[in-house]
Amino acid sequence: MIDPTSLTGKLMTGVAVATLFVLSVSAAEAGGRFRGAHENAAGGTTAGAGAAHQGPNGGAGARGAVVVTDGQGNGAAASGGAVRGPNGGGAVRGSGTTVQADGTVNHQGGAAAQGQNGSAATQGGFTRNADGTVQGRRTTTATNSNTGNSVQGE
């Protein structure tokens, strides 16, 4: 689970909020793109990009990503996206990665989808320690809304 007070958690929260905001625009505000980068106070770079669109039948989508480095070999990235279908189905995804100067990498991500016939969700991640050892885990659940049957896997 991603700590919401960590840099990755904050980045993912920002991407999620921006995605939800973009998905709430009306058809008159059909969407657009943005991107930018600048030097930050930590001596690194902060960069971000996003895009949103809305189709003529009510479907919509948005995605965004941000990367932050500190000039010392540490960095974090987060990305997310969401789609809404014209018939009420939808899906979201998000992920975050941190890289430390000593080679440690932590990645977490998840996705969920829901439609008239059911839903599915998955989340997982991995950590590579500075010594090269790797640990990871993923869990997935799918449910058929017509039968109530559900399956889970790791």
Side-chain angles (χ1 to χ4, degrees), residues 9-130:
K10 290 177 183 177
L11 292 173
M12 288 183 65
T13 300
V15 169
V17 168
T19 300
L20 290 174
F21 173 76
V22 171
L23 285 177
S24 69
V25 299
S26 70
E29 304 167 288
R33 297 174 186 260
F34 73 89
R35 70 179 181 180
H38 64 85
E39 223 176 283
N40 61 37
T45 300
T46 299
H53 65 276
Q54 186 162 346
N57 296 322
R63 61 183 166 79
V66 63
V67 176
V68 177
T69 64
D70 67 0
Q72 304 297 314
N74 302 299
S79 66
V83 295
R84 179 185 65 218
N87 296 322
V92 296
R93 65 150 300 275
S95 66
T97 304
T98 58
V99 178
Q100 297 178 7
D102 69 359
T104 300
V105 176
N106 185 333
H107 176 79
Q108 300 290 322
Q114 185 171 358
Q116 64 185 16
N117 293 319
S119 61
T122 185
Q123 69 178 42
F126 73 90
T127 298
R128 182 188 72 203
N129 296 315

Side-chain angles (χ1 to χ4, degrees), residues 128-134:
R128 182 188 72 203
N129 296 315
D131 66 6
T133 59
V134 177

